[in-house]
Amino acid sequence: MTTPLRVALVGLGTVGSGTFNVLNMNADEITRRVGFPIEIKAIADLNVDKARELAGPGVEVSNDAFALVSRPDIDVVVELIGGYTIAKKVVLAAIEAGKHVVTANKALLAVHGDEIFAAAEKARVMVAFEAAVAGGIPVIKAIKEGLAANQIEYVAGIINGTCNFILSEMRDKGLPFADVLAQAQALGYAEADPTFDIEGIDAAHKITLLSSLAFGVPVNFGKAYVEGITKLTKEDIEFAEQLGYRVKLLGISKRTAAGVELRVHPTLIPTRRLIANVEGVMNAVLVKSNAVGPTLFYGPGAGSLPTASAVVADLIEIARLKDAPLDSRTPVLAFQKDRIAQSDVLSMDKVETAFYMRLKVDDKPGVLAELTQILAKGHISIEAMIQRQANDESNTAEIVLLTHRCIEGDVNKAIAAIEALPTVHGSVARIRVEDLS
Amino acid sequence: MTTPLRVALVGLGTVGSGTFNVLNMNADEITRRVGFPIEIKAIADLNVDKARELAGPGVEVSNDAFALVSRPDIDVVVELIGGYTIAKKVVLAAIEAGKHVVTANKALLAVHGDEIFAAAEKARVMVAFEAAVAGGIPVIKAIKEGLAANQIEYVAGIINGTCNFILSEMRDKGLPFADVLAQAQALGYAEADPTFDIEGIDAAHKITLLSSLAFGVPVNFGKAYVEGITKLTKEDIEFAEQLGYRVKLLGISKRTAAGVELRVHPTLIPTRRLIANVEGVMNAVLVKSNAVGPTLFYGPGAGSLPTASAVVADLIEIARLKDAPLDSRTPVLAFQKDRIAQSDVLSMDKVETAFYMRLKVDDKPGVLAELTQILAKGHISIEAMIQRQANDESNTAEIVLLTHRCIEGDVNKAIAAIEALPTVHGSVARIRVEDLS
């Protein structure tokens, strides 16, 4: 019982060094919990000198991850390099060598998860990835175990801190997207190339994983609908506010009779909902289940120590379960491998949500009648409307609409018809609305 | 692998019937997760007829819990009778018979937990109690496992839905305590005898358990400071609002160098904090830890199906772990039994918080000087102040103060000195303030 768990750490960037630091600073508390220490035996990083400086004596440092991962004195490989290529090879090599794997790599798992999970199953090792979604919030454990008595209905999460920071600042300060993005980059909240974050891809990786865990379906990243925040204007955010809503980038996955919804897009949420009040770089995941109802899990979604907290929690779990029979482990996707459902991802034009629309029209009689006729024909009913005359000489007005829930395909057709009207100028801005009650 | 987990359900009230219903309505999903069914073999309830009607054929129904709990065809006993007396005997009899135990009984565990956990340890069985705190929110699992990499700094929870409903309504509608209590009773949110809820005892049971789980200390209910919400006025709630705060009944436990704080009392929280916006009967637990920082867990804290969700999650965990080696289970109080710390509970007069104070004074020069002098002498500095003249002929004024953080013992002395001033009328109302940043 006093043999330490022996860890090889691959990749010593933000999360890697955080993992090293958490294991050090909380070593006593972790031993109080586990009964024996968790020890980093070896580190692989291309920058060997930096790694050696951090690790100090007694930890082997190498630039060859593949040499490390098959060593007999290693129980667990922690993959923190990121990306699809080398990371995938390292993870598969570790699994093949019979090592358990902990990773924070959502991109890898959202794309190659099925292959990796199958390999782990065959090798009878654990693959743990609490750090891959919502950083330090233990939401994967909550979905896999805490809510296991439920049929989960949907998961909706603010799971990209960069986007949430940008949207919070746009609203708070009334600034346009580009200005706030530049500010986020200066503060280190957005990368030099922010595409993965602001185009919703990172959130789509994460909601793909949550979807698989919630419903027991294969990873479906390729079928996810992904829309980022780059086209949001501060006007839309202000109008939403006036209507009692806040705009958030949500990853949403929902179980319906026709298939699983899997989508990332800006969303209007009623301001009175707790999740609408999650601001700045913080993350939150709302899970709606049939027995418990709504539960929300909130905390830091990124950062060195918060993400490391999740990595080390996985190590603690592996320390407990590595010598236990296989079926005492929670299955990697929360459901028994022979009970994974092959549900289709619902195509976006069949998805039902409410809509916010904003359009510019000629400010003259009859325009509104044309508009509402088109909507009515498309089975789209209006819940609220704001009309605002332009301040200039253009003799136009801006119309902002909230619809009741309707089918996206119907909305697409209606918008095409509206945009074809000679009295309508430019295109119709539209944002989906979710009540999340 | 296809043998079901065999459950005896003792007590068929709100949570008991909820447990029965969740196991039925989600039977397929649970089997998808666990790999085999969880089956209620027997039910004990004093009302045998009602139990028989709910259970239908195939489930044995009895009014003798003790006969059930030692049967060889039972793996787990679910105790849902509540209270200290019979519940304790049933739980100990089940443990002695080698059965695992699931219970929602916070009162029992907060008072007799150490004895029960020791008996379970000796009998090598699990005692699981996710349902005992915050109903359907899987916060016990989060603290024991999800945040296991951390040194937890404090736990602060809205863990009594009755009180939170009353405080939400008082603020929303500007009504006094007594009126809202009556309304809560009519709605079924408060019991006919609401003492346990409104005096903070139920919250104290729960924070006692969270404290033991967060810090690895014995259950210390007898040493908890407990103050309910019965003395809160709608004026205090309004003043708090003006100052940017919301009043919540919090259970708080904090690790300090001098000992563990363990306390339940009304608390002013900055309105911008997420937890300040938890309204109605909902619960939320904020956990501040040294690696991840703040995390919040939100959801329904009571009710038949939500609480049953937690009971059944515990059953699922027992189903997985019952045949595993002992050390593959997370210890009952999250820390190894030989590492439980014997930390003292810090006496209340040594606790540091900020304070809200409200008092009535003569509206004449010099009064404020006397007041601030007393506070300064007691090392209490003022952060904000509101003064409001009385609308009547009394020539008095109401003064509302917010202090910076200070020591409760100092505040007690200062308040005694202030109340002794001839220019001060009646007693000083005071509510603790926590920033929860």
Side-chain angles (χ1 to χ4, degrees):
Chain A
M1 247 324 253
T2 47
T3 329
L5 182 78
R6 299 161 304 175
V7 177
L9 196 55
V10 180
L12 206 60
T14 309
V15 182
S17 56
T19 300
F20 186 90
N21 290 332
V22 167
L23 282 171
N24 269 301
M25 86 182 173
N26 292 342
D28 289 350
E29 192 81 337
I30 290 167
T31 303
R32 272 185 79 201
R33 293 179 187 272
V34 181
F36 54 88
I38 295 177
E39 218 175 270
I40 294 185
K41 291 285 283 184
I43 295 175
D45 195 276
L46 292 181
N47 189 337
V48 172
D49 290 341
K50 199 191 101 194
R52 203 160 272 148
E53 197 183 324
L54 178 74
V59 179
E60 196 181 315
V61 174
S62 154
N63 63 2
D64 181 1
F66 295 96
L68 280 194
V69 300
S70 58
R71 277 171 43 160
D73 61 343
I74 294 295
D75 303 306
V76 192
V77 172
V78 179
E79 181 277 305
L80 298 171
I81 11 181
Y84 305 93
T85 323
I86 303 174
K88 186 181 174 191
K89 282 185 192 156
V90 168
V91 164
L92 288 175
I95 290 172
E96 208 162 305
K99 311 305 182 192
H100 305 290
V101 169
V102 176
T103 176
N105 194 331
K106 48 259 177 189
L108 175 64
L109 294 180
V111 175
H112 300 293
D114 293 338
E115 180 185 349
I116 289 166
F117 301 146
E121 174 69 39
K122 204 174 138 199
R124 305 164 74 92
V125 298
M126 290 176 264
V127 174
F129 52 95
E130 183 66 78
V133 180
I137 310 171
V139 66
I140 287 185
K141 180 168 274 287
I143 289 177
K144 286 177 72 171
E145 299 177 358
L147 302 174
N150 293 265
Q151 293 179 52
I152 294 175
E153 296 170 3
Y154 69 76
V155 179
I158 296 174
I159 44 183
N160 183 279
T162 306
C163 288
N164 205 52
F165 172 82
I166 292 173
L167 295 177
S168 294
E169 290 288 301
M170 286 176 72
R171 183 182 69 86
D172 238 34
K173 315 219 161 115
L175 292 170
F177 174 79
D179 292 14
V180 180
L181 173 60
Q183 180 200 344
Q185 286 172 315
L187 287 168
Y189 292 159
E191 318 237 358
D193 176 358
T195 312
F196 256 49
D197 290 319
I198 62 177
E199 295 294 358
I201 301 160
D202 174 72
H205 288 143
K206 292 166 178 168
I207 193 65
T208 295
L209 294 175
L210 292 182
S211 176
S212 292
L213 294 163
F215 308 126
V217 297
V219 292
N220 271 320
F221 174 70
K223 297 175 190 162
Y225 173 81
V226 189
E227 179 185 325
I229 61 168
T230 55
K231 286 173 196 148
L232 284 177
T233 65
K234 66 190 176 78
E235 287 75 23
D236 289 324
I237 290 174
E238 283 162 18
F239 276 123
E241 204 72 11
Q242 280 181 45
L243 290 160
Y245 291 82
R246 205 150 283 177
V247 185
K248 296 290 179 188
L249 183 74
L250 286 188
I252 299 175
S253 187
K254 193 171 182 175
R255 170 154 47 186
T256 77
V260 170
E261 296 179 8
L262 184 59
R263 48 194 169 99
V264 171
H265 51 71
T267 314
L268 266 67
I269 311 169
T271 307
R272 67 185 179 283
R273 302 273 175 257
L274 206 60
I275 194 171
N277 295 280
V278 171
E279 300 293 352
V281 294
M282 300 303 275
N283 281 198
V285 179
L286 173 65
V287 185
K288 180 84 180 288
S289 320
N290 76 336
V292 67
T295 47
L296 182 90
F297 305 89
Y298 164 89
S304 177
L305 296 183
T307 311
S309 164
V311 170
V312 175
D314 281 345
L315 288 173
I316 291 171
E317 180 136 307
I318 288 171
R320 275 196 296 112
L321 289 169
K322 71 181 163 50
D323 300 320
L326 285 187
D327 54 16
S328 56
R329 304 170 185 169
T330 305
V332 67
L333 285 187
F335 293 81
Q336 299 291 318
K337 65 175 189 302
D338 53 351
R339 311 282 183 127
I340 296 296
Q342 300 300 327
S343 293
D344 266 342
V345 172
L346 196 66
S347 86
M348 204 55 198
D349 61 355
K350 296 200 173 113
V351 166
E352 186 186 292
T353 66
F355 276 88
Y356 160 101
M357 296 180 198
R358 180 172 52 81
L359 61 161
K360 201 179 192 181
V361 297
D362 286 339
D363 189 13
K364 65 178 186 191
V367 174
L368 210 56
E370 285 180 314
L371 202 67
T372 50
Q373 227 165 27
I374 291 174
L375 292 171
K377 234 199 277 178
H379 316 288
I380 300 158
S381 65
I382 297 170
E383 192 190 310
M385 194 169 66
I386 301 176
Q387 181 164 359
R388 198 171 65 176
Q389 281 180 307
N391 278 331
D392 53 26
E393 310 284 290
S394 67
N395 205 25
T396 60
E398 201 153 37
I399 291 180
V400 173
L401 287 179
L402 279 186
T403 76
H404 287 285
R405 290 179 74 79
C406 49
I407 304 298
E408 177 132 350
D410 292 339
V411 170
N412 291 337
K413 279 183 223 154
I415 286 182
I418 290 168
E419 287 175 344
L421 291 174
T423 50
V424 171
H425 301 249
S427 59
V428 177
R430 53 112 161 245
I431 311 173
R432 295 169 192 87
V433 180
E434 292 281 3
D435 187 63
L436 301 182
S437 65
Chain B
M1 248 323 254
T2 46
T3 329
L5 182 78
R6 300 161 303 176
V7 177
L9 195 55
V10 180
L12 207 59
T14 309
V15 182
S17 56
T19 300
F20 186 91
N21 290 332
V22 168
L23 282 171
N24 269 302
M25 86 183 171
N26 292 342
D28 289 349
E29 193 81 337
I30 291 167
T31 302
R32 271 185 80 201
R33 293 180 187 272
V34 182
F36 53 89
I38 296 178
E39 216 175 272
I40 294 185
K41 291 284 284 185
I43 294 175
D45 195 277
L46 292 181
N47 190 337
V48 172
D49 290 341
K50 200 190 101 193
R52 203 160 273 148
E53 196 183 325
L54 179 72
V59 179
E60 195 180 315
V61 173
S62 155
N63 63 1
D64 181 359
F66 296 95
L68 280 194
V69 300
S70 58
R71 278 171 42 160
D73 61 344
I74 294 296
D75 303 306
V76 192
V77 172
V78 179
E79 181 278 304
L80 298 170
I81 7 181
Y84 304 93
T85 323
I86 303 174
K88 186 182 175 191
K89 283 186 193 156
V90 167
V91 165
L92 288 175
I95 290 172
E96 209 162 304
K99 311 304 183 194
H100 305 290
V101 169
V102 175
T103 176
N105 194 332
K106 47 259 177 189
L108 176 64
L109 294 179
V111 175
H112 300 293
D114 293 339
E115 181 185 347
I116 289 165
F117 301 147
E121 175 69 40
K122 205 174 135 200
R124 306 164 76 92
V125 298
M126 291 176 264
V127 175
F129 51 95
E130 183 66 78
V133 180
I137 311 171
V139 66
I140 288 184
K141 180 167 274 287
I143 290 177
K144 286 177 71 170
E145 300 178 356
L147 302 173
N150 293 265
Q151 293 178 53
I152 293 175
E153 295 170 3
Y154 69 76
V155 179
I158 295 174
I159 44 183
N160 183 278
T162 306
C163 288
N164 205 52
F165 174 82
I166 292 173
L167 295 177
S168 294
E169 289 288 301
M170 285 176 72
R171 183 182 69 87
D172 239 34
K173 315 220 162 116
L175 291 171
F177 174 79
D179 292 13
V180 180
L181 173 59
Q183 181 200 342
Q185 286 172 315
L187 288 168
Y189 292 159
E191 317 237 359
D193 177 357
T195 313
F196 256 50
D197 291 319
I198 61 177
E199 295 295 358
I201 301 160
D202 174 72
H205 288 143
K206 292 166 179 168
I207 193 65
T208 295
L209 294 175
L210 292 182
S211 176
S212 291
L213 294 164
F215 307 126
V217 296
V219 291
N220 272 319
F221 173 69
K223 297 174 188 162
Y225 173 81
V226 189
E227 179 185 324
I229 62 168
T230 54
K231 286 172 194 146
L232 284 176
T233 66
K234 67 191 176 75
E235 287 74 22
D236 289 325
I237 291 173
E238 282 163 19
F239 276 122
E241 204 72 12
Q242 277 181 46
L243 291 160
Y245 291 82
R246 205 150 283 179
V247 184
K248 296 290 180 187
L249 184 75
L250 286 187
I252 300 176
S253 187
K254 194 171 181 176
R255 170 152 48 185
T256 77
V260 169
E261 296 178 7
L262 185 59
R263 47 193 170 101
V264 171
H265 51 71
T267 314
L268 267 68
I269 310 168
T271 307
R272 67 186 179 283
R273 301 272 175 258
L274 206 59
I275 194 171
N277 295 281
V278 171
E279 300 293 351
V281 294
M282 300 302 274
N283 283 16
V285 178
L286 174 65
V287 185
K288 181 85 181 286
S289 320
N290 77 334
V292 66
T295 47
L296 183 91
F297 304 89
Y298 164 88
S304 178
L305 296 182
T307 311
S309 165
V311 169
V312 174
D314 281 344
L315 288 173
I316 291 171
E317 180 135 307
I318 289 171
R320 273 197 297 113
L321 289 169
K322 71 181 163 52
D323 299 320
L326 285 187
D327 54 15
S328 55
R329 303 171 186 169
T330 304
V332 66
L333 285 187
F335 293 81
Q336 299 291 317
K337 65 174 188 301
D338 55 351
R339 311 282 183 128
I340 295 296
Q342 299 300 327
S343 293
D344 267 342
V345 172
L346 197 65
S347 86
M348 204 58 199
D349 61 354
K350 294 198 174 115
V351 166
E352 187 185 292
T353 65
F355 276 88
Y356 160 101
M357 296 181 199
R358 179 173 52 83
L359 60 162
K360 201 178 191 182
V361 298
D362 286 339
D363 190 14
K364 65 179 186 191
V367 173
L368 211 55
E370 285 180 316
L371 202 68
T372 49
Q373 229 166 24
I374 291 174
L375 292 172
K377 236 199 277 177
H379 317 287
I380 300 159
S381 65
I382 296 170
E383 192 190 309
M385 194 167 67
I386 300 175
Q387 183 166 355
R388 198 170 65 177
Q389 283 182 307
N391 278 332
D392 52 27
E393 309 285 289
S394 66
N395 206 27
T396 60
E398 201 152 37
I399 292 181
V400 173
L401 288 178
L402 279 187
T403 75
H404 287 286
R405 290 178 75 78
C406 50
I407 305 297
E408 176 132 350
D410 292 340
V411 171
N412 291 337
K413 278 183 223 153
I415 285 181
I418 290 168
E419 287 176 346
L421 291 174
T423 49
V424 171
H425 300 249
S427 58
V428 177
R430 53 110 161 247
I431 309 172
R432 296 169 191 87
V433 181
E434 292 280 4
D435 186 62
L436 301 182
S437 66

PDB file of all heavy atoms in Angstrom, chain B residues 77 272 275 292 300 346 371 405:
ATOM      1  N   VAL B  77     -28.717  -1.837   2.100  1.00  0.00           N
ATOM      2  CA  VAL B  77     -29.895  -1.305   2.806  1.00  0.00           C
ATOM      3  C   VAL B  77     -29.937   0.202   2.595  1.00  0.00           C
ATOM      4  O   VAL B  77     -28.946   0.902   2.843  1.00  0.00           O
ATOM      5  CB  VAL B  77     -29.832  -1.646   4.309  1.00  0.00           C
ATOM      6  CG1 VAL B  77     -30.947  -0.942   5.067  1.00  0.00           C
ATOM      7  CG2 VAL B  77     -29.911  -3.163   4.500  1.00  0.00           C
ATOM      8  N   ARG B 272     -23.100  40.535  -7.090  1.00  0.00           N
ATOM      9  CA  ARG B 272     -22.482  40.104  -8.354  1.00  0.00           C
ATOM     10  C   ARG B 272     -21.940  38.680  -8.289  1.00  0.00           C
ATOM     11  O   ARG B 272     -21.622  38.089  -9.315  1.00  0.00           O
ATOM     12  CB  ARG B 272     -21.388  41.087  -8.777  1.00  0.00           C
ATOM     13  CG  ARG B 272     -20.189  41.090  -7.849  1.00  0.00           C
ATOM     14  CD  ARG B 272     -19.202  42.195  -8.236  1.00  0.00           C
ATOM     15  NE  ARG B 272     -18.045  42.214  -7.332  1.00  0.00           N
ATOM     16  CZ  ARG B 272     -18.075  42.720  -6.100  1.00  0.00           C
ATOM     17  NH1 ARG B 272     -19.187  43.253  -5.609  1.00  0.00           N
ATOM     18  NH2 ARG B 272     -16.982  42.690  -5.334  1.00  0.00           N
ATOM     19  N   ILE B 275     -23.393  32.867  -6.561  1.00  0.00           N
ATOM     20  CA  ILE B 275     -24.144  32.202  -5.495  1.00  0.00           C
ATOM     21  C   ILE B 275     -25.197  33.140  -4.886  1.00  0.00           C
ATOM     22  O   ILE B 275     -26.206  32.677  -4.355  1.00  0.00           O
ATOM     23  CB  ILE B 275     -23.209  31.631  -4.411  1.00  0.00           C
ATOM     24  CG1 ILE B 275     -23.965  30.660  -3.492  1.00  0.00           C
ATOM     25  CG2 ILE B 275     -22.514  32.727  -3.622  1.00  0.00           C
ATOM     26  CD1 ILE B 275     -23.089  29.890  -2.521  1.00  0.00           C
ATOM     27  N   VAL B 292      -7.718  24.781  -7.964  1.00  0.00           N
ATOM     28  CA  VAL B 292      -8.730  25.147  -8.954  1.00  0.00           C
ATOM     29  C   VAL B 292      -9.335  26.519  -8.682  1.00  0.00           C
ATOM     30  O   VAL B 292      -9.819  27.175  -9.601  1.00  0.00           O
ATOM     31  CB  VAL B 292      -9.820  24.062  -9.057  1.00  0.00           C
ATOM     32  CG1 VAL B 292     -10.624  23.962  -7.794  1.00  0.00           C
ATOM     33  CG2 VAL B 292     -10.742  24.308 -10.238  1.00  0.00           C
ATOM     34  N   PRO B 300     -31.386  21.308  -7.441  1.00  0.00           N
ATOM     35  CA  PRO B 300     -32.457  21.172  -6.458  1.00  0.00           C
ATOM     36  C   PRO B 300     -31.931  20.463  -5.213  1.00  0.00           C
ATOM     37  O   PRO B 300     -31.330  19.404  -5.308  1.00  0.00           O
ATOM     38  CB  PRO B 300     -33.506  20.297  -7.159  1.00  0.00           C
ATOM     39  CG  PRO B 300     -33.002  20.070  -8.551  1.00  0.00           C
ATOM     40  CD  PRO B 300     -31.561  20.401  -8.582  1.00  0.00           C
ATOM     41  N   LEU B 346     -12.960  26.242  15.644  1.00  0.00           N
ATOM     42  CA  LEU B 346     -12.605  27.580  16.134  1.00  0.00           C
ATOM     43  C   LEU B 346     -13.801  28.208  16.852  1.00  0.00           C
ATOM     44  O   LEU B 346     -14.917  28.178  16.331  1.00  0.00           O
ATOM     45  CB  LEU B 346     -12.217  28.442  14.926  1.00  0.00           C
ATOM     46  CG  LEU B 346     -11.441  29.724  15.200  1.00  0.00           C
ATOM     47  CD1 LEU B 346     -10.066  29.421  15.771  1.00  0.00           C
ATOM     48  CD2 LEU B 346     -11.297  30.524  13.914  1.00  0.00           C
ATOM     49  N   LEU B 371     -19.795  56.803  18.146  1.00  0.00           N
ATOM     50  CA  LEU B 371     -19.930  55.483  17.529  1.00  0.00           C
ATOM     51  C   LEU B 371     -18.627  55.051  16.847  1.00  0.00           C
ATOM     52  O   LEU B 371     -18.111  53.955  17.076  1.00  0.00           O
ATOM     53  CB  LEU B 371     -21.032  55.605  16.468  1.00  0.00           C
ATOM     54  CG  LEU B 371     -21.740  54.369  16.019  1.00  0.00           C
ATOM     55  CD1 LEU B 371     -22.575  53.831  17.153  1.00  0.00           C
ATOM     56  CD2 LEU B 371     -22.642  54.713  14.829  1.00  0.00           C
ATOM     57  N   ARG B 405     -13.203  43.487   7.332  1.00  0.00           N
ATOM     58  CA  ARG B 405     -13.086  42.246   8.097  1.00  0.00           C
ATOM     59  C   ARG B 405     -12.510  42.533   9.485  1.00  0.00           C
ATOM     60  O   ARG B 405     -11.600  43.338   9.634  1.00  0.00           O
ATOM     61  CB  ARG B 405     -12.189  41.244   7.373  1.00  0.00           C
ATOM     62  CG  ARG B 405     -12.843  40.691   6.101  1.00  0.00           C
ATOM     63  CD  ARG B 405     -11.932  39.732   5.370  1.00  0.00           C
ATOM     64  NE  ARG B 405     -11.833  38.435   6.023  1.00  0.00           N
ATOM     65  CZ  ARG B 405     -12.770  37.487   5.932  1.00  0.00           C
ATOM     66  NH1 ARG B 405     -13.862  37.696   5.219  1.00  0.00           N
ATOM     67  NH2 ARG B 405     -12.621  36.337   6.560  1.00  0.00           N
TER      68      ARG B 405
END
